[in-house]
Amino acid sequence: MLDQLRAAIVAVLNGANIGTFYPKERFSKNMNTLKEMYGQGEGIAGGYIRLKRRKRQNPYATRTTKTYTFDVVFLQSFVDEDSSQVAFEDAIDALDDAFAVDPLLSDLVDDLDDGDDTGLILDDQTPVMFCGVLCHQARMHLTVNVSS
């Protein structure tokens, strides 16, 4: 089930066409190879997901709900003269909008609810150095509920 969830989440993220997202954090000891993984043109644009939390609830003897929370990390090159912060924040909205279009991940999940929150939730954004490039970084999370 986790592989299906990862694939569905990454498909939605990549469908927003703002960079390349991976179902796991990619790494290489070679900075150029790593930069190629997350590169777009001459800059950086993309990210990865990571399972953060998993919980099982069995409120009824015949039904079990598993709740998975994934961290979503998004990186994009910082280019001050292009107002990249504004473009980055627009890209975060585009990612959330992509989940609004397919809130059941092609009927794989019951919903994307985390209490009163739904969809992709922004936790923090901050500048970071990544592969020697100053980047915007957004840390978000997505919670999915699956019943069986």
Side-chain angles (χ1 to χ4, degrees):
M1 173 56 88
L2 274 174
D3 284 342
Q4 291 174 301
L5 289 173
R6 283 186 189 100
I9 292 167
V10 168
V12 171
L13 292 167
N14 284 327
N17 295 315
I18 59 167
T20 302
F21 285 84
Y22 296 99
K24 64 179 184 175
E25 185 172 6
R26 301 292 307 272
F27 180 76
S28 174
K29 291 180 182 179
N30 182 312
M31 192 177 301
N32 289 330
T33 301
L34 184 61
K35 198 172 186 178
E36 287 174 16
M37 290 177 194
Y38 292 95
Q40 185 174 8
E42 293 192 26
I44 301 290
Y48 58 90
I49 66 172
R50 176 187 295 137
L51 182 64
K52 178 180 185 174
R53 183 174 45 224
R54 180 192 171 281
K55 174 174 74 169
R56 179 192 306 262
Q57 293 177 307
N58 191 359
Y60 312 107
T62 59
R63 181 176 157 197
T64 299
T65 300
K66 292 180 185 174
T67 300
Y68 300 93
T69 300
F70 292 88
D71 280 333
V72 178
V73 177
F74 172 41
L75 298 154
Q76 193 172 56
S77 298
F78 196 112
V79 184
D80 187 59
E81 57 272 11
D82 292 341
S83 298
S84 62
Q85 180 180 340
V86 173
F88 182 70
E89 291 168 355
D90 288 345
I92 292 169
D93 267 352
L95 289 172
D96 185 47
D97 290 347
F99 284 101
V101 170
D102 185 9
L104 303 181
L105 302 179
S106 299
D107 293 324
L108 187 60
V109 302
D110 298 336
D111 57 52
L112 302 177
D113 294 344
D114 185 10
D116 291 335
D117 299 328
T118 189
L120 191 61
I121 310 299
L122 177 64
D123 295 317
D124 185 36
Q125 70 163 309
T126 186
V128 297
M129 289 299 290
F130 182 77
C131 296
V133 177
L134 181 60
C135 293
H136 302 279
Q137 179 189 58
R139 292 192 167 274
M140 301 167 279
H141 72 272
L142 181 73
T143 298
V144 301
N145 298 294
V146 181
S147 295
S148 58

